[in-house]
Amino acid sequence: MKNKPLPTHADVVIIGGGVSGCSIAWNLANQGQKNIVVIEREYFTSGATGRCGAGVRQQWSTKANCILAKKSVEFFENAQEILDYDGDVEFKQEGYLIVSSTPEETAQFKKNVALQNSLGIPSKLLTKEEAKEIVPHLNTDVINAATFCKTDGHLNPFTMTDAYYKAAARLGVEFFTYTTVEDIDAKDGAIQAVKTDKGTIATNVVVNAAGGWSKEVGEMVGVDIPVYSRNHEILVTEPVEKMQGPMVISFSQNIYCQQTPHGAFIMGRGDKDAPKGHDMSSSWKFLDEMSRTVTRLLPPIGELRVIRQWGGLYNMSPDHQPIISGTDALKGFYIACGFSGHGFMLAPMTGLLLSELILGKTPSLPMDDMALDRFEGKEITELETSVV
Amino acid sequence: MDPNKVIICRCSDVSLQDLYDLFEEGYTTFEELKRIKRVGMGPCQANTCGKMVQWEIAKYFEKPLESVEFHNMRPFTMGVKLKAIKEAADDEE
Ligand SMILES: Cc1cc2nc3c(=O)[nH]c(=O)nc-3n(C[C@H](O)[C@H](O)[C@H](O)COP(=O)(O)OP(=O)(O)OC[C@H]3O[C@@H](n4cnc5c(N)ncnc54)[C@H](O)[C@@H]3O)c2cc1C
Ligand code: FES
């Protein structure tokens, strides 16, 4: 991307060119906001967005995550037209099959499905035989039951972000890649300017959409955001003929695995022992565990060749729900982070809700469950359990 | 030769014309090209097309070849079956 010189002033400066930053930019511009600048340290999607599993699901165990995901799916279904995109966002709705390993896990899944159905999400509980009809190469010896939601699926993170970027750019948003925010000036409880390695931009509104580095961006203005980052590893195989429609996922077996429309299989798992921080390296441990897990649950996948492996940062919040919020202490400082491994699929709502907050409108959804101050002096009551 | 007919990345079926179009749209680094059109992300992991992509970026933007960043190489350089990795891991125990 060729960059022009930085402007000296902007009405809104967004830090981060991932899917969140680009969605926020488009949503603001689409509602008439002018003079928006997006600053990205590397290239678009260089953070978690371009490293993610490309999965979109509505089967969550907290109300906030369910609603955010459902409304986002409604946007994805029409994203191509709404954003008038010349590429292909590759939204494929062939479902998510979530398998349980024990009767206890199935009991939790029953509760999840009841919640999801009450919110209009068409998920259902399946026996393992029914699950095998949907994914014939599933090893039913290692599962207890499953849930399935047919409107979940896959979306291309690169082209989805590109679609937001292009639509925002057409509305006049200015984007600067390979530019790093080094500091933010605040005075008397209000934002004054953003300092980058390419110059300073005077502004009264800053959006922190810095993903795995959002805590550090908060520190620039003394706002403590209770999140941490951790490496999550993932791999991709060579592309093959279509053999699996839905994403297959298990929390207890620690795996998600899907075939992209392009034909390649993507799969990943978490490692609770991975140190907190910004390490994104690839390990043998991951490969060993991943190959074991996948050959056990989906045996024929073992025949596929791995062609690439990488890591990326999950930015974890205490209750595994995102922080989409303003800050009481500092006027003009807005935050979208703590997506806890599912911020790609929530991007449409992240952008809509945060833009409404910034523009002083009544948000489309109640946002108490997403507020920064929800953690202050409170027990965390609702912990999202449906995470890999 | 017609740039539409010159295939630069045969794994991901990307022609020279596709590269020119991306350059015009403002995507100028190898990492950006990879993400938009899967250039260099096929089974050969850019072992076939990598140098050509670098060369085309250099020519188009009239930059010295050495100044064009090569893409970020990740493991693997050749595909390995998941089953083979599992068996090797089992053997070690
Ligand atoms: C392996 C893996 C698999 C995942 N799978 C899924 C999935 O299947 N579905 C799903 O919904 N989510 C998934 N996620 C989570 C998802 O990727 C993230 O929640 C989402 O991409 C967050 O987007 P973002 O724009 O907020 O952050 P990012 O994409 O991380 O963007 C933040 C950007 O800010 C930039 N930045 C940081 N600091 C500065 C600075 N000081 N100056 C300028 N720029 C800066 C960074 O360079 C980066 O590009 C996965 C994540 C990982 C790592
Ligand atoms: S020819 Fe480009 S990745 Fe193989």
Side-chain angles (χ1 to χ4, degrees):
Chain A
M1 185 110 334
K2 271 187 259 180
N3 284 335
K4 309 168 289 276
L6 275 191
T8 54
H9 173 271
D11 289 344
V12 182
V13 175
I14 298 170
I15 306 171
V19 72
S20 303
C22 292
S23 168
I24 295 163
W26 176 76
N27 273 281
L28 279 169
N30 191 44
Q31 292 171 82
Q33 176 67 50
K34 303 279 183 245
N35 291 318
I36 305 166
V37 170
V38 180
I39 307 286
E40 165 54 48
R41 180 168 50 206
E42 285 185 65
Y43 48 89
F44 295 126
T45 75
S46 61
T49 301
R51 299 162 183 274
C52 86
V56 173
R57 71 167 143 123
Q58 304 153 90
Q59 299 180 78
W60 292 98
S61 73
T62 72
K63 194 173 159 191
N65 279 336
C66 283
I67 298 177
L68 289 172
K70 177 172 185 280
K71 298 243 179 238
S72 293
V73 163
E74 287 163 12
F75 179 87
F76 292 140
E77 283 169 343
N78 303 299
Q80 196 83 30
E81 296 75 41
I82 298 172
L83 300 174
D84 195 13
Y85 186 49
D86 58 353
D88 184 355
V89 299
E90 298 175 6
F91 191 36
K92 169 190 96 161
Q93 285 174 290
E94 293 189 41
Y96 254 64
L97 187 75
I98 309 187
V99 299
S100 70
S101 314
T102 59
E104 294 73 40
E105 199 178 10
T106 305
Q108 173 67 40
F109 281 15
K110 274 187 193 149
K111 286 188 207 156
N112 296 353
V113 168
L115 170 74
Q116 291 152 11
N117 291 171
S118 76
L119 299 168
I121 296 166
S123 55
K124 55 185 182 189
L125 196 68
L126 302 181
T127 63
K128 52 185 180 177
E129 291 73 26
E130 288 168 330
K132 199 171 171 68
E133 277 169 31
I134 298 176
V135 176
H137 51 278
L138 190 66
N139 177 7
T140 47
D141 295 344
V142 299
I143 71 169
N144 181 264
T147 68
F148 183 68
C149 175
K150 62 177 193 297
T151 53
D152 292 348
H154 163 279
L155 179 73
N156 183 321
F158 307 120
T159 50
M160 187 63 238
T161 309
D162 192 48
Y164 274 126
Y165 152 63
K166 283 187 174 158
R170 283 196 303 270
L171 294 171
V173 177
E174 291 197 85
F175 290 85
F176 295 87
T177 50
Y178 299 100
T179 305
T180 304
V181 172
E182 293 175 333
D183 206 357
I184 303 169
D185 279 349
K187 211 174 87 188
D188 303 329
I191 297 281
Q192 305 294 322
V194 171
K195 291 182 173 164
T196 80
D197 59 345
K198 307 269 166 70
T200 298
I201 311 172
T203 187
N204 295 316
V205 179
V206 166
V207 177
N208 174 2
W213 296 269
S214 51
K215 191 176 181 66
E216 287 72 16
V217 168
E219 282 165 3
M220 292 176 186
V221 284
V223 173
D224 181 30
I225 309 173
V227 290
Y228 66 86
S229 295
R230 174 173 278 162
N231 190 18
H232 265 249
E233 295 187 59
I234 178 164
L235 63 79
V236 63
T237 72
E238 62 197 328
V240 290
E241 291 289 306
K242 184 167 176 182
M243 58 184 283
Q244 183 176 312
M247 170 82 98
V248 175
I249 167 169
S250 165
F251 311 122
S252 46
Q253 297 182 37
N254 194 356
I255 176 174
Y256 60 87
C257 173
Q258 76 166 323
Q259 185 171 24
T260 67
H262 174 62
F265 273 80
I266 307 182
M267 60 194 81
R269 71 202 304 283
D271 178 2
K272 290 200 172 62
D273 299 327
K276 294 177 184 177
H278 297 124
D279 169 53
M280 286 186 255
S281 53
S282 299
S283 71
W284 277 106
K285 182 183 174 202
F286 165 75
L287 266 186
D288 287 352
E289 292 175 350
M290 190 74 245
S291 58
R292 281 192 176 131
T293 314
V294 74
T295 46
R296 185 166 170 266
L297 184 63
L298 301 161
I301 308 291
E303 297 298 328
L304 303 185
R305 287 173 199 278
V306 185
I307 59 168
R308 193 165 59 247
Q309 125 183 59
W310 66 94
L313 299 178
Y314 270 26
N315 187 243
M316 303 299 292
S317 77
D319 60 4
H320 302 167
Q321 302 185 117
I323 300 172
I324 305 172
S325 180
T327 40
D328 291 337
L330 185 59
K331 202 166 156 280
F333 191 63
Y334 294 88
I335 304 169
C337 70
F339 291 102
S340 310
H342 45 278
F344 172 55
M345 66 181 82
L346 305 182
M349 288 313 285
T350 302
L352 181 67
L353 293 171
L354 201 67
S355 62
E356 289 170 340
L357 269 188
I358 295 170
L359 298 171
K361 297 184 178 176
T362 309
S364 305
L365 289 177
M367 293 183 66
D368 298 344
D369 288 349
M370 296 157 230
L372 178 64
D373 63 13
R374 71 182 184 269
F375 305 110
E376 277 166 25
K378 276 176 229 154
E379 279 277 309
I380 292 145
T381 49
E382 224 185 357
L383 190 71
E384 175 62 70
T385 50
S386 300
V387 286
V388 171
Chain B
M1 220 154 86
D2 178 359
N4 279 304
K5 295 206 177 115
V6 180
I7 302 301
I8 295 285
C9 175
R10 60 186 191 213
C11 291
S12 300
D13 192 22
V14 178
S15 70
L16 185 56
Q17 187 61 48
D18 291 330
L19 285 193
Y20 289 160
D21 292 346
L22 289 166
F23 294 156
E24 282 303 307
E25 283 186 36
Y27 302 104
T28 62
T29 63
F30 206 140
E31 292 298 322
E32 290 170 324
L33 299 173
K34 257 166 83 169
R35 281 160 181 84
I36 295 295
K37 274 274 192 256
R38 298 194 172 91
V39 185
M41 292 175 92
C44 87
Q45 287 298 289
N47 280 322
T48 319
C49 63
K51 288 275 177 238
M52 281 191 283
V53 174
Q54 205 180 7
W55 176 242
E56 290 304 332
I57 296 174
K59 265 203 311 204
Y60 196 87
F61 297 102
E62 297 173 3
K63 287 199 207 170
L65 188 60
E66 321 78 70
S67 75
V68 177
E69 268 189 62
F70 202 55
H71 77 124
N72 186 358
M73 306 264 271
R74 299 191 190 280
F76 292 74
T77 41
M78 267 168 65
V80 180
K81 277 191 187 178
L82 279 158
K83 212 169 74 180
I85 299 170
K86 177 199 172 280
E87 283 160 6
D90 290 346
D91 282 351
E92 271 172 30
E93 277 177 5

